[in-house]
């Protein structure tokens, strides 16, 4: 009934040149994500979670293995094709927002669409819709420097989904937010996932954020070491996550 | 301790400091180059054709000083922006404001002294190179020009010393006015709204009036003279600055509001980039426009003096060469030239009277000037009327001014009275005196046979010397050479100053653009992440820089085109071949644009994946 959005087979990423010590940032990682899932990737600093995200988001290339996103093998694509692929199939939310400070909130959100030369009327309508959805409609003509952190992250989220990507990727999306704004963003993501069936993959080291996911993959030294699936309410899932984290000795990292 | 911190902070931003230092060094070097001329009165007096050349240099110095002043203020503002975050951090950790202020002062002075020393040395070197190069290209000897000229060194040091002091104090004041938080978050800034309607309208009107007065003075320079020159010097830059400041942001706003266009491709980003920084750019672009006007104007002026030599030669005679009784060598030389028109007539001299053959004149009708004045030197017509029958001096002569003009031009030098009679072939043959001949030739382009003309003149002089004549050769080419000899100093100055101003322009634009590059790296990286192809980013950069280059380029050229009137009271035709300097400038500017685009792309775009 559901098709895989991400299908990763035996992916390894090696750092270090010929005469240096080789370091595996990713070591033989395989997993599959189907459409409509909300997956979290957790791990300590340096465990390889950001590398995994970069490989999936086509920003970095795997040394070995195949990476299929939405049915396309991205390891065989050229730079230009990868760009187009990112523009059409992927949406990003970064920890530091990555908004363009020289464009208004509206223009920032419209960017992925105008890059694909969508007709102006359609852009306006879609942007309006997504801004209303995320509760930032009144910020349209402001510049990123004049709005709050939470509002910036909502703007980033709006930009990430306005072109209806196959996959939404978050790199510590709540990392720079206070708990109130973080909760609000996570609720928004949950809503997007449940109501619009958007597939979300999020990297985080924060157990509270992770507890919004349906499934969590734990990564350590470049390997996937454990996987847990949420069955009950969020609160008990949160406890379960904390348990796994302490088991792998990285509960501290939530405070870094 | 704080000083050590400051030094390590500077080291970490070495790249930015190199950009800053390079900008300052260039402006100092160019200022010095200009001063080597401005202060060398002996050289100017000896080499200039223009009497009021001192005034021209005064005006030039003033304009250059003005431009440099703004440039230094801007560069030091950049210095402050480089450091403010770090200074804010020190202050947050408890450093006193006075101490930071002193640090800033010291830093400004150190940067100033360094750039002054390097800049002056570079200026001397540049003067040597450019002087050498120009005198080679223009084939002229420069006497009295010194690349290392102490009054110029002194004045340059004094001028920049004062400027650096002013900007150091200015930076300190600005630092003192700011709060710690403002310093810390100095990098984050929102777009400033465009200037309010009333202020903008006022600025536009004032700008139009100033520019109008400036242009008026340039156009009527012949009547207004010194007063006109001074007024134009003040009003034209003023108008340029006001109009750039008032109109550029408004123009971009309008372009931006055009939504249908904006929401296509990278346009919204490109215009966002532009309008985001246009407020900081307007003054710099106006400066660039002025420098273009000065640089291209100086080159155009120099070329106009050079062209004037040709104008003088062309108006002296229609035909490029005329050789009386050519000998073997001369004939061989003449045969090697491709003439568009070659005429050959026979004549006899008898009792100081010249006899021409009527049939020859009728079968080879010559070209003459339509009117005999210098303004219409290049409008030629062919004589249609019959050759005058009879002689030029007694009563049976019916005057024909056209034939008269031509036949008098043909008279050999040793026939001072220039009286002639046109006779038919039979009468001519009956005359007892020796038959002589004259060869006239006109080529498509006088200047492309310079070597041949020179050789012909030499042979002619040999002939004159052999005949123990007191005459020296008087030909179209000798007129050309003589004029060029007189004008060469002025031509050199024009080219020298033109290069100086254009280099200054280049350094201004380069500096402005490179200082913004650091912030752009993040923007382009982000665009890359959300999936913009590299080619599209490159396209956006080309587009953005094209607009940045276009406005001052057009304004500068318009200034030049109007400003060439300045020379109308010394030159016959200041606008003759004006497309040559315009083309030269356009070429240099285009190449410069391409270099800037390339450099910028290398800085801000990530490497190939």
């Amino acid at each position: 009934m559901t098709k895989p959005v991400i299908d990763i087979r035996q992916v390894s990423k090696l750092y270090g040149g010929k005469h240096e010590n080789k370091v595996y940032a990713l070591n033989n990682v395989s997993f599959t994500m189907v459409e409509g899932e909300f997956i979290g990737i957790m791990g300590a600093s340096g465990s390889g979670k950001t590398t995994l995200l970069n490989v999936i988001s086509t920003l970095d290339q795997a040394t070995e293995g195949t990476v299929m996103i939405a049915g396309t093998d991205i390891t065989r694509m050229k730079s230009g094709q990868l760009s187009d692929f990112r523009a059409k199939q992927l949406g990003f939310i970064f920890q530091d927002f990555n908004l363009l400070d020289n464009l208004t909130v509206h223009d920032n959100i419209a960017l992925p669409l105008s890059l694909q030369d969508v007709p102006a009327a359609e852009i306006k309508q879609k942007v309006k819709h997504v801004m209303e959805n995320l509760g930032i409609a009144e910020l349209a003509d402001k510049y990123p420097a004049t709005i709050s952190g939470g509002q910036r992250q909502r703007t980033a989220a709006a930009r990430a989904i306005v072109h209806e990507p196959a996959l939404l990727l978050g790199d510590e999306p709540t990392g720079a937010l206070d708990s109130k704004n973080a909760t609000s963003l996570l609720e928004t993501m949950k809503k997007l996932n449940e109501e619009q069936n958007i597939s979300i993959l999020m990297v985080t080291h924060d157990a509270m954020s992770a507890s919004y996911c349906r499934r969590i993959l734990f990564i350590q030294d470049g390997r996937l070491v454990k996987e847990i699936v949420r069955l009950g309410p969020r609160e008990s899932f949160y406890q379960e996550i904390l348990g796994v984290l302490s088991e792998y000795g990285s509960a501290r990292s939530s405070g870094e | 301790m704080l000083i050590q911190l400051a030094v390590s902070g500077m080291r970490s931003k070495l790249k930015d400091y190199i950009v800053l230092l390079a900008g300052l060094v260039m402006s100092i070097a160019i200022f010095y180059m200009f001063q080597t001329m401005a202060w060398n009165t002996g050289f100017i007096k000896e080499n200039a054709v223009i009497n009021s050349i001192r005034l021209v240099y005064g005006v030039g110095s003033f304009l250059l000083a003005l431009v440099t002043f703004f440039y230094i203020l801007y560069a030091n503002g950049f210095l402050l922006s480089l450091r403010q975050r770090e200074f804010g951090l020190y202050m947050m950790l408890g450093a006193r404001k006075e101490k930071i202020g002193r640090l800033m002062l010291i830093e400004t002075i150190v940067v100033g002294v360094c750039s002054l020393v390097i800049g002056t040395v570079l200026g001397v070197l540049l003067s040597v190179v450019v002087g050498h190069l120009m005198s080679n290209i223009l084939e002229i000897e420069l006497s009295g020009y010194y690349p290392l000229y102490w009054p110029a060194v002194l004045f340059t040091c004094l001028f920049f010393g004062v400027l650096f002091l002013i900007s150091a104090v200015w930076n300190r004041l600005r630092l003192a006015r700011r709060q710690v938080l403002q310093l810390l978050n100095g990098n984050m800034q929102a777009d400033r709204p465009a200037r309010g309607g009333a202020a903008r309208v006022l600025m536009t009107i004032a700008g139009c009036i100033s520019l109008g007065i400036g242009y008026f003075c340039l156009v009527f320079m012949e009547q207004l003279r010194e007063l006109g020159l001074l007024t134009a010097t003040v009003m034209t830059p003023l108008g340029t600055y006001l109009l750039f400041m008032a109109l550029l942001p408004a123009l971009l706003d309008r372009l931006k509001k055009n939504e249908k266009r904006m929401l296509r491709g990278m346009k919204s980003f490109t215009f966002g980039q532009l309008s985001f920084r246009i407020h900081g750019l307007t003054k710099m672009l106006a400066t660039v426009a002025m420098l273009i006007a000065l640089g291209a104007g100086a080159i155009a002026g120099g070329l106009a003096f050079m062209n004037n030599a040709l104008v003088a030669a062309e108006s002296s005679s229609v035909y490029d060469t005329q050789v009386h009784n050519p000998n073997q060598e001369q004939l061989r030389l003449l045969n090697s030239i491709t003439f568009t028109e070659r005429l050959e007539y026979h004549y006899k001299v008898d009792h100081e009277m010249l006899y021409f053959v009527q049939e020859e004149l009728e079968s080879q009708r010559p070209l003459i000037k339509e009117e005999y004045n210098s303004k219409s030197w290049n409008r030629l017509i062919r004589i249609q009327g019959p050759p005058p029958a009879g002689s030029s001096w007694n009563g049976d002569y019916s005057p024909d001014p056209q034939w008269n003009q031509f036949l008098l031009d043909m008279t050999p030098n040793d026939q001072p009275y220039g009286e002639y009679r046109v006779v038919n072939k039979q009468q001519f043959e009956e005359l007892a005196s020796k038959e002589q001949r004259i060869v006239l030739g006109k080529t498509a382009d006088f200047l492309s046979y310079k070597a041949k003309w020179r050789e012909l003149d030499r042979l002619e002089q040999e002939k004159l010397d052999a005949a123990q004549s007191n005459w020296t050769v008087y030909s179209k080419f000798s007129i050309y050479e003589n004029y060029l000899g007189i004008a060469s100093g002025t031509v050199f100055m024009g080219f020298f100053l033109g290069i100086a101003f254009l280099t200054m322009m280049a350094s201004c634009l380069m500096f402005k653009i490179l200082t913004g590059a650091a912030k752009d790296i993040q923007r382009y990286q982000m665009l890359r992440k959300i999936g913009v192809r590299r080619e599209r980013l490159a396209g956006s950069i080309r587009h953005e820089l094209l607009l940045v280059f276009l406005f001052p380029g057009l304004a500068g050229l318009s200034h030049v085109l109007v400003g060439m009137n300045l020379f109308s009271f010394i030159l016959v035709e200041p606008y003759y071949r004006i497309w040559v300097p315009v083309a030269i400038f356009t070429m240099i500017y285009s190449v410069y644009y391409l270099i800037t685009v390339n450099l910028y792309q290398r800085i801000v775009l990530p490497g190939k994946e």
Side-chain angles (χ1 to χ4, degrees):
Chain A
M1 81 178 195
T2 44
K3 53 182 181 184
V5 179
I6 303 176
D7 191 7
I8 292 182
R9 300 269 166 83
Q10 284 130 30
V11 163
S12 295
K13 174 75 185 176
L14 214 65
Y15 283 116
K18 270 183 187 166
H19 308 291
E20 298 166 57
N21 285 337
K22 291 188 175 67
V23 178
Y24 277 99
L26 292 177
N27 196 347
N28 209 12
V29 171
S30 303
F31 80 96
T32 309
M33 174 184 187
V34 295
E35 204 175 273
E37 270 199 289
F38 188 170
I39 295 185
I41 295 174
M42 295 195 79
S45 302
S47 58
K49 56 185 191 297
T50 301
T51 307
L52 180 59
L53 190 76
N54 282 344
V55 166
I56 292 170
S57 63
T58 75
L59 292 172
D60 205 346
Q61 272 170 335
T63 322
E64 287 164 37
T66 55
V67 181
M68 305 272 286
I69 310 282
T72 317
D73 184 0
I74 59 166
T75 49
R76 292 168 191 280
M77 282 194 195
K78 295 215 174 70
S79 156
Q81 290 174 310
L82 283 175
S83 288
D84 293 349
F85 181 79
R86 281 205 293 277
K88 290 201 179 92
Q89 304 288 351
L90 302 181
F92 291 93
I93 310 179
F94 301 95
Q95 176 174 2
D96 48 1
F97 320 126
N98 267 323
L99 294 174
L100 290 167
D101 52 0
N102 52 4
L103 295 182
T104 59
V105 165
H106 177 278
D107 289 349
N108 258 297
I109 298 171
L111 198 60
L113 294 177
S114 58
L115 286 174
Q116 290 176 38
D117 289 333
V118 175
E122 198 183 326
I123 292 181
K124 277 182 85 171
Q125 183 246 321
K126 277 190 173 166
V127 172
K128 190 161 167 266
H129 178 73
V130 107
M131 283 204 298
E132 277 166 3
N133 239 349
L134 293 179
I136 49 172
E138 72 279 9
L139 301 176
D141 290 327
K142 297 213 159 140
Y143 283 87
T146 61
I147 61 178
S148 75
Q151 289 169 329
R152 271 181 229 167
Q153 198 57 300
R154 280 160 183 278
T155 307
R159 189 186 61 190
I161 58 169
V162 71
H163 55 301
E164 292 157 11
L167 177 63
L168 180 62
L169 297 168
D171 186 1
E172 306 269 11
T174 57
L177 298 179
D178 59 72
S179 66
K180 183 168 155 278
N181 275 315
T183 309
S184 141
L185 179 74
L186 289 163
E187 288 291 346
T188 308
M189 287 169 78
K190 192 172 145 228
K191 212 172 85 178
L192 290 170
N193 174 246
E194 283 168 1
E195 290 171 13
Q196 299 182 31
N197 202 32
I198 294 177
S199 318
I200 302 178
L201 181 75
M202 173 172 86
V203 161
T204 184
H205 60 252
D206 174 38
M208 205 278 285
S209 301
S211 66
Y212 279 83
C213 303
R214 299 289 194 77
R215 182 154 73 110
I216 296 177
L217 306 171
F218 291 89
I219 187 167
Q220 191 177 37
D221 299 332
R223 292 170 186 274
L224 288 181
V225 289
K226 192 169 175 65
E227 177 181 336
I228 56 173
V229 180
R230 175 172 156 195
L231 302 166
R234 196 171 66 77
E235 286 69 27
S236 60
F237 193 46
Y238 176 63
Q239 293 302 325
E240 195 182 342
I241 296 167
L242 287 182
V244 175
L245 286 178
S246 62
E247 185 185 328
Y248 286 96
S250 55
R252 280 174 279 120
S253 63
S254 64
E256 70 180 22
Chain B
M1 184 59 202
L2 210 50
I3 288 189
Q4 273 174 1
L5 273 176
V7 169
S8 72
M10 280 176 83
R11 215 174 279 153
S12 68
K13 289 199 167 173
L14 199 61
K15 225 167 137 188
D16 295 307
Y17 274 94
I18 288 174
V19 171
L20 174 70
L21 212 62
L24 292 176
V25 162
M26 275 318 284
S27 74
I28 292 168
I30 291 153
F31 191 83
Y32 171 81
M33 266 170 84
F34 189 91
Q35 297 306 323
T36 55
M37 287 244 177
W39 288 85
N40 196 336
T41 37
F43 176 74
I44 294 175
K45 272 194 195 134
E46 196 172 311
N47 286 282
V49 198
I50 320 169
N51 289 328
S52 48
I53 192 87
R54 289 284 304 156
L55 191 68
V56 171
Y57 272 96
V59 166
S61 286
F62 169 76
L63 284 175
L64 191 64
L66 194 76
V67 165
T68 315
F69 178 74
F70 282 114
Y71 186 72
I72 298 290
L73 268 193
Y74 176 78
N76 279 299
F78 172 66
L79 182 69
L80 180 64
S81 77
L82 271 183
R83 308 287 283 153
Q84 60 180 358
R85 211 182 135 75
E86 200 181 322
F87 287 160
L89 205 66
Y90 295 153
M91 270 151 87
M92 200 180 70
L93 296 175
R96 294 170 64 121
K97 219 170 198 178
E98 296 86 71
K99 205 152 188 193
I100 300 283
R102 205 155 37 209
L103 210 63
M104 185 84 225
L105 195 73
I106 293 172
E107 201 176 308
T108 314
I109 289 172
V110 167
V111 168
V113 169
C114 282
S115 51
L116 199 51
V117 171
I118 306 173
T120 313
V121 172
L122 186 72
V124 175
L125 290 178
L126 270 181
S127 306
V128 174
V129 171
V130 174
H132 201 72
L133 216 68
M134 281 291 116
S135 60
N136 271 348
I137 291 175
L138 300 174
E139 297 167 13
I140 46 176
E141 292 269 320
L142 291 173
S143 57
Y145 175 70
Y146 312 111
L148 177 60
Y149 195 62
W150 289 110
V153 174
L154 204 70
F155 185 73
T156 308
C157 289
L158 208 71
F159 179 75
F160 280 92
V162 171
L163 267 191
F164 281 125
L165 216 64
I166 292 175
S167 60
V169 172
W170 174 249
N171 269 352
R172 229 197 126 154
L173 281 176
R174 279 201 351 191
L175 193 70
R177 273 212 321 259
R178 291 200 192 174
Q179 302 299 317
V180 180
L181 267 181
Q182 278 178 306
L183 289 175
L184 274 174
N185 298 326
N187 292 339
M188 296 269 289
Q189 47 167 259
D191 199 10
R192 270 177 292 172
R195 228 170 271 274
R200 193 155 75 201
V201 170
L202 217 67
M203 270 169 85
T204 312
I205 292 173
C208 283
I209 292 175
S210 310
L211 196 64
I213 294 176
Y215 273 13
F216 178 84
C217 289
L218 286 173
V219 172
F220 294 98
M221 191 57 78
E222 266 187 280
Q223 289 79 18
L224 294 166
R225 300 258 148 181
E226 273 83 3
L227 180 72
L229 189 60
L230 288 179
T231 319
T233 310
V234 177
M235 290 320 247
T236 314
L238 187 69
T240 314
Y241 276 95
L242 283 174
L243 283 180
F244 265 73
M245 276 152 71
L247 292 184
L248 267 190
L251 189 75
L252 276 172
D253 261 18
R254 275 204 71 158
L255 287 172
K256 235 176 116 180
K257 291 240 166 69
N258 189 350
E259 272 193 358
K260 278 240 167 59
R261 274 169 45 129
M262 285 313 298
L263 289 172
R264 288 198 88 70
M266 291 289 290
K267 284 225 175 68
S268 68
F269 176 76
T270 309
F271 279 92
Q273 276 280 79
L274 265 178
S275 69
F276 189 65
R277 50 171 63 143
I278 198 68
H279 294 283
L281 268 178
T282 48
K283 287 183 211 88
M284 187 56 79
L285 290 186
T287 307
V288 166
M290 284 314 298
L291 284 172
I292 289 173
L294 290 173
I299 291 180
L303 271 177
F305 274 97
M306 218 159 126
N307 285 332
N308 213 43
L310 179 65
V311 173
E314 290 285 358
S315 49
S316 76
S317 85
V318 172
Y319 288 91
D320 294 342
T321 185
Q322 48 170 291
V323 184
H324 291 272
N325 304 317
N327 58 28
Q328 283 304 321
E329 253 180 303
Q330 282 174 319
L331 267 180
R332 207 170 44 243
L333 208 55
L334 283 172
N335 289 336
S336 71
I337 298 170
T338 327
F339 289 109
T340 52
E341 186 164 326
R342 180 174 162 154
L343 307 175
E344 204 170 324
Y345 302 103
H346 293 88
Y347 63 92
K348 284 182 178 173
V349 184
D350 177 24
H351 302 111
E352 295 178 343
M353 170 79 82
L354 269 87
Y355 294 89
F356 290 104
V357 186
Q358 189 186 352
E359 285 84 349
E360 273 184 1
L361 293 179
E362 273 170 350
S363 64
Q364 304 178 68
R365 289 174 181 277
L367 288 166
I368 57 158
K369 292 192 200 70
E370 189 181 355
E371 285 166 64
Y372 213 83
N373 63 42
S374 54
K375 283 281 175 199
S376 56
W377 55 271
N378 52 359
R379 283 210 301 276
L380 302 179
I381 50 166
R382 200 168 288 285
I383 297 180
Q384 300 299 340
S391 105
S392 61
W393 58 279
N394 62 21
D396 62 343
Y397 172 65
S398 58
D400 180 320
Q402 293 187 335
W403 279 106
N404 200 37
Q405 178 193 338
F406 174 68
L407 292 175
L408 283 178
D409 275 354
M410 258 187 8
T411 308
N413 288 339
D414 50 5
Q415 288 297 314
Y417 304 107
E419 282 154 24
Y420 59 83
R421 185 187 281 266
V422 178
V423 295
N424 64 31
K425 185 109 183 147
Q426 197 188 346
Q427 289 169 317
F428 186 77
E429 263 159 31
E430 284 163 5
L431 286 167
S433 44
K434 187 174 144 252
E435 184 178 301
Q436 311 194 42
R437 69 170 171 157
I438 175 169
V439 178
L440 298 168
K442 183 165 179 56
T443 59
D445 181 14
F446 175 71
L447 292 182
S448 46
Y449 296 97
K450 274 196 273 190
K452 307 268 184 192
W453 307 143
R454 185 174 292 127
E455 187 62 15
L456 274 174
D457 276 6
R458 192 185 63 77
L459 292 172
E460 187 66 27
Q461 188 63 50
E462 268 176 15
K463 240 162 70 180
L464 286 172
D465 290 345
Q468 296 196 328
S469 158
N470 289 326
W471 292 94
T472 50
V473 174
Y474 178 79
S475 66
K476 190 168 175 174
F477 183 68
S478 71
I479 291 173
Y480 174 79
E481 285 268 271
N482 282 339
Y483 190 93
L484 207 61
I486 300 167
S488 63
T490 315
V491 175
F492 171 75
M493 284 181 216
F495 275 68
F496 188 90
L497 295 184
I499 289 172
F501 281 129
L502 286 184
T503 322
M504 181 86 184
M505 177 279 293
S507 117
C508 262
L509 257 183
M510 181 81 84
F511 181 69
K512 176 72 210 177
I513 286 165
L514 288 185
T515 52
K519 282 184 190 171
D520 274 352
I521 294 177
Q522 289 173 354
R523 295 192 187 126
Y524 287 104
Q525 259 173 5
M526 199 240 97
L527 283 171
R528 191 95 182 99
K529 276 185 189 167
I530 67 166
V532 184
R533 274 175 179 247
R534 194 188 155 87
E535 304 88 75
R536 277 188 122 172
L537 291 178
S540 166
I541 289 176
R542 273 200 300 276
H543 190 183
E544 183 191 336
L545 289 182
L546 182 69
L547 289 174
V548 167
F549 270 73
L550 194 66
F551 293 121
L554 289 180
L557 271 187
S558 141
H559 286 0
V560 171
L561 290 180
V562 176
M564 285 308 282
N565 274 304
L566 191 71
F567 298 107
S568 57
F569 62 91
I570 341 166
L571 296 180
V572 186
E573 269 194 58
Y575 286 95
Y576 177 61
R577 289 190 178 172
I578 189 74
W579 61 269
V580 175
V582 170
I584 291 178
F585 163 74
T586 313
M587 213 173 65
I588 296 177
Y589 202 55
S590 309
V591 168
Y592 184 58
Y593 163 72
L594 292 177
I595 292 175
T596 313
V597 167
N598 195 287
L599 214 64
Y600 201 66
Q601 285 175 348
R602 270 196 216 177
I603 296 176
V604 299
L605 290 188
K608 293 223 157 84
E609 277 174 30

